[in-house]
Amino acid sequence: MNRTRSTSANEHDSVKHRVEKRDVDFISVVVPFYNESEQILMTLETTECVLQTLDITYEIVAIDDGSVDSTWRELSKYTMKSPNVRAIRLSRNFGKEAAICAGLSEAIGDAVILMDGDLQHPPRYFPEMIALWREGYEVVEGVKTSRGKESRFARFTANLFYGIFAKLSGIRLKDTSDFKLLDRKVVDYWNTFTERDTFFRALSSWMGFKRITFPFEVDERKVGRSKWGFLKLAKLSLNAVISFSSRPLLLISSLGVIFLVMFFVLAVQTLIRYFGGNAATGFTTVILLQLLIGSIVLISLGLLGLYVASLFREVKGRPRFFITETTDTNFNTEPERDTGSEE
Ligand code: UDP
Ligand code: MG
């Protein structure tokens, strides 16, 4: 059968069939890579070493998120010597969120573990995660006990974002990570999402299910450096807030009301002065108010624009990623044609 990216009922039935026939648990590990050529060998070897000690069968689904270095070459080379590793190459850099989505739609295990490609999510925790899953938990989340080596600025901005996000969306993300194990049921539901702007950490928490956390220590990155620049992180944070909360819009209206009240107070004061004959003063107040109101109007307009843009992106409904190449010989990279028979 040609495997496609669809999440159609038929395909899931056949996937389930394939999986259910196994006597031991089948675990998929999804790893996104973006310009990590020096890291790949170490990451995949370490991961396989751990997986081989467990009483399971496994596959590793490596996603090349449009790297411009030799990541793809390294990945294909590795898949030749290890039959349990599949690599999927996206047509350009779509970002880690899209790479995760690609991995989740391709993984066929009874449970799927997501980890970073730089070993900062150490595979030595796999046995514990799988044990918790076998106990019946459907989402097993890694919680950072230490955040690894990180600049003070990075820590400050991360905490600021988590603080604002928790206030606005009611979802607490502090110290959470993308190091997670998801049961097949959760992955199947995840694959039904049609959202473009996904934020894995928050969406998977919003989904519910029987969940448990485990503490883990973030290892240090051995080679390369973090792919998240300040702007990329700022964009992710903004998208996360916008797709999870409409409270900023409420905030704008509240600000409007506050300013209306202030306007009435000032109006009374100005009129009193006017009739008292000393109206020329107050120039400073006018300038300050103009600046303040002007900036708030602009910020509000911008914010509204962001929500409209987000709506626009969602309405267009473009695919989240394109797969250009894969090492899976049964894989069909042709875009799917709508046969109108299902979904
Ligand atoms: N990553 C990705 N696409 C991107 C950026 C990052 O697939 O556009 C991958 C990256 O290769 C790594 C993981 O996401 O495996 C985490 O990235 P990184 O270590 O840069 O993030 P940090 O640990 O600093 O949060
Ligand atoms: Mg990292």
Side-chain angles (χ1 to χ4, degrees):
M1 181 187 106
N2 275 349
R3 299 201 45 245
T4 65
R5 263 158 289 153
S6 87
T7 51
S8 66
N10 278 357
E11 187 185 342
H12 276 306
D13 283 351
S14 69
V15 165
K16 267 193 196 126
H17 186 65
R18 252 182 292 167
V19 169
E20 272 163 15
K21 273 205 306 204
R22 295 168 212 272
D23 305 331
V24 284
D25 295 323
F26 184 70
I27 307 286
S28 301
V29 178
V30 168
V31 202
F33 289 104
Y34 176 51
N35 292 345
E36 305 273 12
S37 56
E38 302 147 47
Q39 179 73 52
I40 284 167
L41 193 65
M42 200 198 315
T43 301
L44 294 180
E45 270 178 356
T46 318
T47 312
E48 280 211 286
C49 264
V50 175
L51 287 168
Q52 275 156 7
T53 61
L54 301 170
D55 170 28
I56 54 162
T57 47
Y58 68 89
E59 64 163 356
I60 297 180
V61 183
I63 314 291
D64 175 3
D65 184 16
S67 304
V68 289
D69 66 355
S70 56
T71 295
W72 181 249
R73 212 170 40 234
E74 291 293 324
L75 280 178
S76 344
K77 211 160 71 190
Y78 194 90
T79 57
M80 301 232 225
K81 68 172 190 191
S82 174
N84 292 340
V85 182
R86 290 193 277 147
I88 287 159
R89 186 183 201 179
L90 304 189
S91 62
R92 66 167 171 84
N93 179 234
F94 282 94
K96 186 183 172 190
E97 291 291 323
I100 290 177
C101 290
L104 286 177
S105 68
E106 286 312 313
I108 57 166
D110 302 322
V112 181
I113 296 179
L114 274 143
M115 64 173 249
D116 277 1
D118 54 6
L119 287 180
Q120 285 194 295
H121 296 161
R124 64 173 180 274
Y125 290 94
F126 286 0
E128 188 183 339
M129 295 168 89
I130 292 169
L132 287 167
W133 169 66
R134 282 181 175 148
E135 275 175 35
Y137 292 102
E138 289 153 328
V139 179
V140 182
E141 308 174 87
V143 175
K144 300 172 190 162
T145 50
S146 69
R147 296 185 55 100
K149 224 190 220 162
E150 212 179 35
S151 73
R152 228 181 253 172
F153 179 69
R155 189 160 311 190
F156 171 75
T157 45
N159 284 335
L160 184 72
F161 165 69
Y162 290 141
I164 294 175
F165 191 80
K167 275 259 161 13
L168 293 178
S169 70
I171 298 177
R172 274 182 55 84
L173 290 178
K174 193 165 186 296
D175 294 328
T176 56
S177 69
D178 291 340
F179 193 22
K180 288 193 200 320
L181 177 148
L182 306 179
D183 183 71
R184 165 65 23 208
K185 185 161 72 181
V186 183
V187 176
D188 281 348
Y189 278 121
W190 174 278
N191 288 334
T192 63
F193 278 148
T194 52
E195 282 188 49
R196 307 298 113 188
D197 286 333
T198 54
F199 182 43
F200 179 68
R201 231 171 275 189
L203 259 184
S204 56
S205 154
W206 171 86
M207 284 172 82
F209 291 101
K210 226 175 142 204
R211 41 203 324 123
I212 192 161
T213 56
F214 71 95
F216 80 98
E217 235 169 89
V218 180
D219 276 358
E220 259 163 50
R221 206 181 228 285
K222 303 273 181 325
V223 287
R225 56 192 192 90
S226 174
K227 304 294 176 299
W228 296 98
F230 179 72
L231 279 181
K232 225 171 164 182
L233 270 178
K235 198 172 147 209
L236 181 74
S237 314
L238 209 61
N239 274 343
V241 168
I242 283 168
S243 61
F244 266 88
S245 163
S246 44
R247 278 195 208 167
L249 293 178
L250 196 71
L251 213 69
I252 294 178
S253 314
S254 318
L255 270 179
V257 172
I258 292 172
F259 273 87
L260 197 68
V261 172
M262 277 166 59
F263 164 77
F264 278 120
V265 174
L266 274 172
V268 170
Q269 190 218 31
T270 314
L271 283 178
I272 291 173
R273 283 196 171 191
Y274 178 76
F275 288 116
N278 43 12
T281 54
F283 186 68
T284 337
T285 330
V286 172
I287 291 289
L288 286 180
L289 264 181
Q290 269 210 340
L291 282 175
L292 193 63
I293 294 178
S295 55
I296 285 179
V297 167
L298 282 179
I299 292 171
S300 311
L301 270 178
L303 200 59
L304 278 171
L306 288 176
Y307 277 94
V308 174
S310 170
L311 267 175
F312 184 48
R313 272 198 303 279
E314 299 295 344
V315 168
K316 275 190 292 191
R318 286 187 184 157
R320 275 177 280 198
F321 53 83
F322 297 111
I323 296 179
T324 161
E325 228 175 309
T326 154
T327 58
D328 186 348
T329 43
N330 287 324
F331 189 85
N332 176 16
T333 50
E334 286 294 306
E336 227 182 303
R337 294 208 170 69
D338 192 4
T339 54
S341 59
E342 49 200 32
E343 283 182 293

